[in-house]
Amino acid sequence: MRIETCYIRPDLDGRGSAPSERLARAVGGTASARVADVVILGFSLPREAAVELFSDPVVQFVPESPLPEHPSVSGWDWLVEIAYRPGVTDTLALTAREAIAISGVSAAGEAGAPGLVQTARLYLLRSPGAPLDAVKGAFSPLWNPLIQSAVFISSADWARGARLPDPYPAVSLSDDPEPELFDLPALSDSGLEELSKERLLALSLPEMRAARAYFASAEARAARAAKGLPPEVTDVELEMIAQTWSEHCKHKIFNAEIDYSEPGSAPRSIRSLFKTCIKATTDELASSRPDLLSVFTDNAGVFKFDEAHAVCVKAETHNSPSALDPYGGAITGIVGVNRDILGTGMGAALLFNTDVLCFAPPGIPDEEVPEGLKYPRELLAGVHRGIVDGGNQSGIPVVAGGFVFEEGYMGKPLVFCGTGGLMPLEVRGEPSWEKSVDAGMLAVMVGGRIGKDGIHGATFSSLALDESSPSSAVQVGDPIIQKRMSDFLLEARDAGLYAGITDNGAGGLSSSLCEMAESSGGVRIDLSACPLKYPGLSPWEILVSESQERMSLAVRPETLEALLALAASRGVEATVVGEFTSTGAVEATFGGKTVCYVGMEFLHHGLPAMRLPARWSPPPVASAALEDRGDWTAALLACLADPDVASKEYLVRQYDHEVKGMSIEKPFTGVERDAPSDGGVIKPLYDSWRGLTVTHGIAPRLSSRDARAMALAAVDEAYRAHIALGGDPARAVALDNFCWPDPVESASNPDGAYKMAQLVRACEALRE
């Protein structure tokens, strides 16, 4: 059954204006579009119910015959319909299914299985003579072939009988439930490198050698044999190690051993920039800052806000996924950092979002964009829309942020996402920023189900972006499910229904449960118990798939029943998927058979440190005298037209700054409140006038010349903004998120050592 909903008048729906304008520019004429929202069902639904559920009869109509044949849209030239590919999360379909269930209509398909629910968006274009290539170009920002399918039908082909798919292909998997085995101890070095490349493990040769040595050891062989495992390594074990040892999870560059040299100074070795510069500086300051409650020990930093509350803050990047799918990558980034706040300590309420988005200038001509890369304007539009939807639909204000444009971001944008949260200083008499997981507690997964999307999300962050980048790393987040889950978790926290919590990071359950198991000493995971979006996933896929809107809890057996009851009452799925142990190992079973058994010590502390050379060679700086122009009007106009200087009000206004009713200073200033301000100020508590400033700083144009100056300028910019907004000079809390290219020199990356030297200098500058 196909349900099409269209607005009665074209001017009521502006979604067709962007492709129409792009098409008109391409063909040099005029173009217009009508848009329809499509719901495709694998079961029957009474027409009255369809109209009530999927339309607003005041401004919309649902035609009884196919919309392309309806008189109100006659004269169209091209039909375009965009739908999600099989396996990609269709958030509108999830909402449609729930709405049908609430209405009381049965949504069962054949043999009582859940009936098919799909959604699509249909465009009917009027543009006489427009060729197919021009139509496809007009829709390129709205259609990502990685995750979506698009159907293009001309009016002539429609007249000859061409029709739209009904339904679109659904997921049909039959992955092997038996783990694939690899004789790792017998592989040569070249075999290890080939295996890492083939399976997208992103593990270096020294790292693969460490894994080979572990599985070849008599101790590991005996422990695994006792669980019925063969000498060969299972794909479950291999993939879990790769996720845990990824750059995303272990920050291998920051923890590397660096042989550093620069002109005029003796060579020296730095063991972990993180420990010697970033953490050491914070530790030195902590004695004079009693408001710092938790730093570098959880998903986010925590500081004291007042005598009864704490604030936690986290920022991270989502660059590579956003380069592949701007919308999905960005929305996944913002809801992902939201989950970090939910999983800090015993859980915090989400206060605000912020972002800094970096792209190549959107006005770069299309012919100057290298093949295989998305146009900067498309990246900007998609990423911005993802951040907007991730925050606005979850009821979280975007308090401050920024846009940066530099040609160096052509190859990959930088998408910085940040979130702040509020928690009581105590939860049931204990410090809110502390948690402990004990053996005997149950491992409970809550929120979104597991699918193929999100696989290799962690290892993907360690790889260079190229045409072989995995589409499975791209996800589409559902902020509605996450909002419902976050409300449930705060209720469960206050009721004492769980003892530990963390988010399902880029390694899925292998990340969350294995991290929590460091406290208990081990964990046993039943992969057969995990809720799936669709059947047919292999055990290793179930373990490492991130997927969105998902958290893991440690629950005492005596509170399980109350937790599951509360989850059901709030429409949140919660499932027991294992138990925390003290065995010293991570064990995973599937169908009652052990498919993974790896020691905790090796998993978390067996990663060999990277060793990197870094040589600082100051770049030449050309000096040029300022020419006397006489009339500076043209130069001034060119400066004002620069995308870094030009107004971004049309982008910023799309964020919701008012939701929650806490925003005191919006990201605008001036008499007309239409100029960008230095940041934002929020009032986290309704009964207190204590405020919180949110600012940022970034200096990309200095980064290639002097990393020290770049780091100091960025920090100084954020600090001065804090003061300008009325912040207390003594109560500034800073967080940073470095994002650097590959520092390892190779034929394709000849400047790796210089990049590493830049990183060293930037970290040292921050320490000073």
Side-chain angles (χ1 to χ4, degrees):
M1 180 178 184
R2 183 181 174 92
I3 304 163
E4 298 167 329
T5 303
C6 185
Y7 279 85
I8 296 171
R9 298 202 319 265
D11 59 301
L12 295 173
D13 187 0
R15 293 175 297 176
S17 60
S20 298
E21 291 169 2
R22 284 191 291 269
L23 184 58
R25 288 196 299 268
V27 300
T30 61
S32 62
R34 295 292 296 273
V35 186
D37 295 302
V38 181
V39 178
I40 301 170
L41 305 177
F43 51 90
S44 296
L45 186 68
R47 175 174 169 77
E48 297 76 15
V51 172
E52 181 179 356
L53 288 172
F54 301 118
S55 74
D56 178 351
V58 176
V59 293
Q60 295 175 311
F61 70 97
V62 178
E64 295 190 36
S65 59
L67 181 64
E69 299 173 359
H70 196 272
S72 66
V73 298
S74 61
W76 58 269
D77 299 287
W78 282 99
L79 175 157
V80 182
E81 185 162 280
I82 300 172
Y84 283 116
R85 291 189 179 277
V88 178
T89 299
D90 185 343
T91 56
L92 293 177
L94 295 175
T95 302
R97 183 183 295 280
E98 188 170 358
I100 293 170
I102 293 172
S103 72
V105 177
S106 173
E110 295 181 4
L116 177 73
V117 181
Q118 298 174 328
T119 68
R121 183 160 291 168
L122 172 65
Y123 298 83
L124 294 171
L125 291 165
R126 289 185 180 180
S127 182
L132 177 59
D133 287 347
V135 175
K136 287 185 175 181
F139 279 86
S140 59
L142 302 176
W143 162 45
N144 184 349
L146 272 177
I147 62 170
Q148 294 170 312
S149 63
V151 179
F152 297 85
I153 300 176
S154 68
S155 57
D157 286 340
W158 181 274
R160 286 191 288 266
R163 291 295 181 267
L164 292 162
D166 187 12
Y168 284 89
V171 178
S172 178
L173 298 176
S174 57
D175 291 355
D176 192 349
E178 288 294 323
E180 188 175 354
L181 300 178
F182 302 92
D183 193 357
L184 207 63
L187 287 180
S188 63
D189 284 356
S190 60
L192 293 175
E193 290 180 308
E194 186 63 26
L195 178 60
S196 178
K197 181 179 180 180
E198 285 181 355
R199 292 197 65 94
L200 296 173
L201 303 178
L203 295 178
S204 66
L205 179 56
E207 292 161 355
M208 290 296 288
R209 285 171 175 167
R212 180 176 62 187
Y214 170 78
F215 286 105
S217 68
E219 182 181 359
R221 283 177 177 266
R224 297 175 69 253
K227 293 294 179 179
L229 288 166
E232 294 83 3
V233 181
T234 70
D235 54 5
V236 183
E237 295 167 320
L238 195 59
E239 294 282 354
M240 180 180 69
I241 292 170
Q243 304 300 310
T244 306
W245 288 7
S246 67
E247 177 64 39
H248 181 93
C249 296
K250 287 297 185 185
H251 305 292
K252 294 183 284 191
I253 295 174
F254 269 130
N255 285 296
E257 187 166 342
I258 302 166
D259 297 317
Y260 180 67
S261 63
E262 64 177 78
S265 299
R268 57 196 173 99
S269 180
I270 302 173
R271 179 65 174 92
S272 175
L273 281 171
F274 170 72
K275 292 179 180 178
T276 58
C277 292
I278 301 173
K279 189 176 187 301
T281 303
T282 305
D283 291 341
E284 291 173 11
L285 292 172
S287 60
S288 62
R289 291 293 300 268
D291 56 328
L292 296 180
L293 302 177
S294 175
V295 186
F296 302 129
T297 58
D298 207 337
N299 293 318
V302 184
F303 61 92
K304 186 177 180 181
F305 181 69
D306 61 17
E307 295 308 312
H309 300 88
V311 167
C312 50
V313 185
K314 173 67 177 291
E316 68 178 28
T317 59
H318 232 237
N319 310 325
S320 296
S322 298
L324 288 177
D325 174 29
Y327 178 81
I331 195 172
T332 300
I334 197 66
V335 300
V337 79
N338 289 168
R339 294 199 315 273
D340 283 320
I341 296 300
L342 283 170
T344 297
M346 291 298 289
L350 300 172
L351 269 183
F352 66 86
N353 286 335
T354 183
D355 60 66
V356 175
L357 310 177
C358 307
F359 310 96
I364 289 180
D366 293 355
E367 59 271 16
E368 295 183 15
V369 178
E371 186 178 354
L373 298 181
K374 293 188 177 300
Y375 299 129
R377 63 178 181 275
E378 296 177 11
L379 281 168
L380 169 61
V383 167
H384 177 254
R385 188 163 56 94
I387 299 288
V388 167
D389 285 357
N392 292 6
Q393 295 181 21
S394 299
I396 307 169
V398 176
V399 175
F403 296 88
V404 177
F405 300 96
E406 285 290 325
E407 289 191 12
Y409 298 123
M410 177 75 76
K412 183 186 293 186
L414 298 191
V415 179
F416 293 93
C417 303
T419 299
L422 185 73
M423 61 170 66
L425 282 178
E426 291 187 353
V427 173
R428 301 178 71 83
E430 299 293 334
S432 61
W433 60 92
E434 296 179 355
K435 56 193 171 191
S436 179
V437 178
D438 299 326
M441 291 184 179
L442 301 173
V444 177
M445 177 184 127
V446 299
R449 292 187 159 217
I450 297 172
K452 274 188 175 288
D453 51 334
I455 293 173
H456 287 145
T459 56
F460 180 41
S461 67
S462 305
L463 294 169
L465 184 65
D466 59 30
E467 63 275 6
S468 66
S469 298
S471 60
S472 64
V474 180
Q475 304 162 65
V476 177
D478 190 337
I480 304 301
I481 290 179
Q482 182 146 306
K483 168 63 175 171
R484 200 154 52 194
M485 179 184 68
S486 64
D487 290 345
F488 152 72
L489 288 173
L490 294 178
E491 284 188 82
R493 177 199 70 183
D494 294 340
L497 300 183
Y498 61 80
I501 181 174
T502 195
D503 72 303
N504 275 222
L509 292 175
S510 76
S511 171
S512 62
L513 296 184
C514 293
E515 285 178 12
M516 298 170 80
E518 285 195 272
S519 178
S520 68
V523 66
R524 184 182 302 109
I525 308 168
D526 181 4
L527 299 175
S528 301
C530 298
L532 308 179
K533 294 179 180 178
Y534 31 77
L537 270 66
S538 294
W540 75 266
E541 294 175 315
I542 298 172
L543 182 62
V544 304
S545 171
E546 177 179 2
S547 297
Q548 288 298 304
E549 302 79 50
R550 182 150 50 89
M551 306 285 288
S552 293
L553 306 177
V555 180
R556 298 181 183 87
E558 60 269 23
T559 63
L560 176 65
E561 185 177 350
L563 178 93
L564 297 180
L566 179 63
S569 69
R570 298 297 181 262
V572 176
E573 191 166 16
T575 308
V576 177
V577 297
E579 179 183 8
F580 293 98
T581 68
S582 57
T583 61
V586 176
E587 180 180 0
T589 63
F590 187 78
K593 178 181 177 181
T594 299
V595 294
C596 168
Y597 196 84
V598 177
M600 291 283 295
E601 177 65 23
F602 171 73
L603 183 65
H604 289 296
H605 305 290
L607 173 67
M610 295 177 70
R611 191 170 191 115
L612 301 170
R615 299 179 302 275
W616 170 249
S617 301
V621 179
S623 60
L626 188 65
E627 61 178 288
D628 184 8
R629 290 175 176 261
D631 183 1
W632 288 86
T633 303
L636 175 61
L637 292 176
C639 182
L640 293 175
D642 186 289
D644 271 326
V645 179
S647 174
K648 269 75 73 177
E649 183 182 6
Y650 78 101
L651 294 168
V652 180
R653 289 289 184 193
Q654 296 177 51
Y655 295 133
D656 191 334
H657 312 296
E658 308 294 339
V659 65
K660 290 184 181 288
M662 297 178 177
S663 301
I664 300 299
E665 183 65 27
K666 316 299 186 292
F668 295 104
T669 190
V671 176
E672 301 295 332
R673 291 285 176 172
D674 57 357
S677 66
D678 293 319
V681 180
I682 64 171
K683 180 175 172 289
L685 300 167
Y686 295 116
D687 57 355
S688 169
W689 282 99
R690 183 180 291 266
L692 185 70
T693 71
V694 182
T695 65
H696 64 274
I698 185 171
R701 293 182 182 179
L702 288 174
S703 63
S704 62
R705 299 190 174 209
D706 189 339
R708 293 174 186 264
M710 176 274 295
L712 293 172
V715 172
D716 182 63
E717 180 184 358
Y719 183 71
R720 286 186 290 107
H722 166 72
I723 303 300
L725 290 167
D728 184 344
R731 290 295 305 278
V733 177
L735 76 157
D736 60 73
N737 194 316
F738 288 99
C739 188
W740 292 84
D742 184 1
V744 180
E745 284 195 14
S746 65
S748 61
N749 186 38
D751 299 326
Y754 174 73
K755 296 169 185 175
M756 190 71 248
Q758 288 281 61
L759 179 55
V760 172
R761 290 171 64 83
C763 289
E764 289 180 331
L766 286 178
R767 179 173 185 174
E768 294 166 3

